[in-house]
Amino acid sequence: MLPFLPKKMAEEQDNEDELIKELIPWYLASEKENLVLLEKALAERNFPVLIEIGDKLYGHGKSFGFAHISILGKRIEIAAIQQDFTMLRDLVSAFKEYLQECCKRYNVD
């Protein structure tokens, strides 16, 4: 943190945590849409789309409290750059399983 900026007050942190909790169902629903796009891109071997979605997953998973989504996103991005179809298939499958677990835990249909 820059020394001239004030530190967040505890109540601000609590408000941010509550806001993120409220957004989790929306976030998981949007990830289900990304899963559909990933599976379609995988079937078409559309590596640019796989790279793009992997990058998105990497960029926002941790922000919503889902570090594992970020990790999978980065791995998907790298595998797509390398055009490693077998690895991509396994990673998309792992993402699907993890997303299903998360949706169940947060009651997202």
Side-chain angles (χ1 to χ4, degrees):
M1 179 170 228
L2 298 174
F4 55 86
L5 293 177
K7 293 183 179 179
K8 287 185 183 175
M9 297 175 65
E11 62 196 38
E12 289 176 341
Q13 184 64 44
D14 291 343
N15 289 340
E16 286 180 14
D17 292 345
E18 285 302 313
L19 179 60
I20 289 176
K21 286 179 187 174
E22 290 176 17
L23 291 175
I24 286 175
W26 168 85
Y27 171 71
L28 292 175
S30 71
E31 291 308 304
K32 288 172 72 173
E33 293 173 14
N34 279 328
L35 174 62
V36 171
L37 296 173
L38 277 172
E39 291 177 328
K40 182 176 188 271
L42 184 65
E44 297 171 354
R45 294 181 185 247
N46 188 336
F47 297 108
V49 170
L50 290 160
I51 292 168
E52 180 183 342
I53 297 171
D55 182 58
K56 286 181 185 177
L57 297 176
Y58 172 68
H60 54 63
K62 192 173 182 181
S63 300
F64 285 90
F66 297 94
H68 192 64
I69 289 178
S70 288
I71 292 167
L72 287 169
K74 185 52 136 177
R75 290 181 178 170
I76 288 168
E77 180 183 10
I78 292 168
I81 289 167
Q82 297 172 343
Q83 298 189 3
D84 185 340
F85 182 79
T86 303
M87 179 63 72
L88 281 165
R89 185 186 61 222
D90 293 344
L91 289 166
V92 171
S93 178
F95 175 64
K96 182 177 185 174
E97 289 176 24
Y98 181 71
L99 185 58
Q100 288 171 339
E101 291 173 20
C102 292
C103 287
K104 184 185 276 188
R105 186 173 350 141
Y106 290 96
N107 298 317
V108 175
D109 293 327

